[in-house]
Each structure stands twice: as C-alpha cells, then as structure tokens.
Amino acid sequence: MSSSDEPDAVRPGWENFAERPVPEVHGATTAPEAELAGVLQRRHEELAAARGASASAATRVHATLFELAMLIGTLEQQVNRAGEPREAVDEKLRHRELKNVKDRMLDVLRGAGVEVRDPKGLTADEVLDWADPVHWLQSPEFDAEVVAETNEYAVFHDGAVVRFAQVVMGAPAPAPAPAPALKPEPEPEAPEPDLQVKPDPGTEMPPPGQTPAPTDT
C-alpha cells in the first residue's frame, strides 16, 4: 500500500504541535557584531593604558636625567675648585662638598630604581652573576678568590642587573713545587787485598816454566 493511500488521521499536521515558551536567558543576548565591538574597545583601552604607562616612565627618566645633569654641573664646579691652590685647612671642606654632590646623585638614581654597586672585597661566588673579570692577580695576600679591584661599578634597575661590573680578581698564589729528593752518593768501595807473593828485593824471578837457580848459602 502506498503512502498516498494512508488515511489522513495518520499524517501529522500543525495541529499536532504545541508552542513552548522560549527559555529565559540571564542577561540580554548580544549580537556577534556588538560582542566584537566590545572586544576591540577593551583592546584599545589596554593599549591606551600601556601607552600612558610608557609615557609616564619616559617622563620620570627624563626628569632623572635632567636632575643628574644639574648635579654633574655642580660636580664640575667642585672639581674645578679643588684644583685651585688653597690652604690645607680647606681640604676637609673640599672632600665634604664633593661627597655631598655624590650622595645627591646616588639618591636621585635610587629614586628612579637605579642602584650602583661596588663588588670590591666580595668573593667570586657572590659576584658570579653580575661581574666580569678582566684580569687576575695571584698573590699570597689572598686566601680565596675575591674581587681585588673594581674598574667599573655594576648597575641594577629594580633589582635586576643591567650593566655588569668590570673587576680584577685576586687568587691565592700557587703552592711551590716540591724540590726533588737528593740521591745519596754511593760509598767508595774498599780495595781488594793483593794475594800475590811479592819477591824480595834483589831477587830476580825466572821466566815462566824455568826452575830458579840455586842460591849460595
């Protein structure tokens, strides 16, 4: 029997379907275009914040450089004054003025997160990650590998090394090689005794194979 011969009661019609309510969705639904626009907007805001942070950091760096430039000019004045002939009583004043300028410069750098370190006297293990040896000295005055001299200080920014120190390392002098042991000289051998019978003086020994001639008694 073909499907066209089936009774109409068996065929489903629209009356056989019932409407159901659409499930509630928490929050309003967002179209894809609106969602993409929101993502782009957040990305622009993040980039703007990053640019603002970079600009702020650059401004702080510029301010630090400008202040250091002013202090370097003050330092130049003090150095020039130190070269002028003065009384010996002014030596302490010169030292205090130079030290004051130096301390102000270091304070400016610390305020910008920059730290200068002198590794002199530290062991090789302590400066392994922030100092480069440019020369080695071996001397009995060193009992371990330590920094003997500092050619250039190390520079740190926010706790991370940005410029390695250039140092001269000191090391103990090598132990002298042991002297070779001296071999004892051999004792002289005693001469072997002469067991041959020596003839009396004036007695002539006959040639081998001949009987000596009788002597007068």
Side-chain angles (χ1 to χ4, degrees), residues 59-69 108-109 111-112 114:
T59 301
R60 291 195 301 271
V61 170
H62 291 162
T64 300
L65 292 176
F66 297 153
E67 191 166 358
L68 284 177
V108 170
L109 291 175
V114 179

Side-chain angles (χ1 to χ4, degrees), residues 42-80:
R42 289 193 297 272
R43 180 59 178 168
H44 286 310
E45 292 175 356
E46 293 174 356
L47 291 176
R51 293 192 189 98
S54 299
S56 178
T59 301
R60 291 195 301 271
V61 170
H62 291 162
T64 300
L65 292 176
F66 297 153
E67 191 166 358
L68 284 177
M70 180 272 298
L71 291 173
I72 290 173
T74 304
L75 180 62
E76 183 180 13
Q77 290 180 343
Q78 302 298 338
V79 171
N80 292 336

Side-chain angles (χ1 to χ4, degrees), residues 43 55 76 83 94 112 115 129 132 141-142 144 147 155 157 162 202 206:
R43 180 59 178 168
E76 183 180 13
R94 295 179 188 179
E115 181 185 1
D129 297 331
D132 283 333
E141 65 177 302
F142 302 114
V147 178
V155 180
H157 182 247
V162 294

Side-chain angles (χ1 to χ4, degrees), residues 90-159:
D90 292 335
E91 292 298 328
K92 291 184 178 180
L93 177 60
R94 295 179 188 179
H95 178 268
R96 184 164 61 250
E97 291 175 345
L98 293 173
K99 183 177 183 301
N100 180 46
V101 176
K102 182 264 298 181
D103 292 341
R104 290 173 62 187
M105 295 176 71
L106 290 179
D107 289 339
V108 170
L109 291 175
R110 292 191 190 98
V114 179
E115 181 185 1
V116 179
R117 296 185 189 178
D118 181 6
K120 184 176 181 179
L122 299 180
T123 63
D125 291 338
E126 292 175 307
V127 300
L128 180 64
D129 297 331
W130 54 280
D132 283 333
V134 296
H135 189 63
W136 283 85
L137 293 176
Q138 291 184 331
S139 173
E141 65 177 302
F142 302 114
D143 55 2
E145 294 182 354
V146 298
V147 178
E149 299 177 9
T150 301
N151 292 349
E152 295 181 5
Y153 286 8
V155 180
F156 289 76
H157 182 247
D158 291 338

Side-chain angles (χ1 to χ4, degrees), residues 3-69:
S3 58
S4 59
D5 297 337
E6 294 180 357
D8 296 340
V10 179
R11 297 177 181 176
W14 288 109
E15 66 276 4
N16 298 111
F17 296 93
E19 294 185 1
R20 292 186 300 174
V22 178
E24 295 182 1
V25 179
H26 296 286
T29 58
T30 304
E33 298 84 357
E35 185 174 358
L36 179 59
V39 172
L40 293 177
Q41 180 63 29
R42 289 193 297 272
R43 180 59 178 168
H44 286 310
E45 292 175 356
E46 293 174 356
L47 291 176
R51 293 192 189 98
S54 299
S56 178
T59 301
R60 291 195 301 271
V61 170
H62 291 162
T64 300
L65 292 176
F66 297 153
E67 191 166 358
L68 284 177

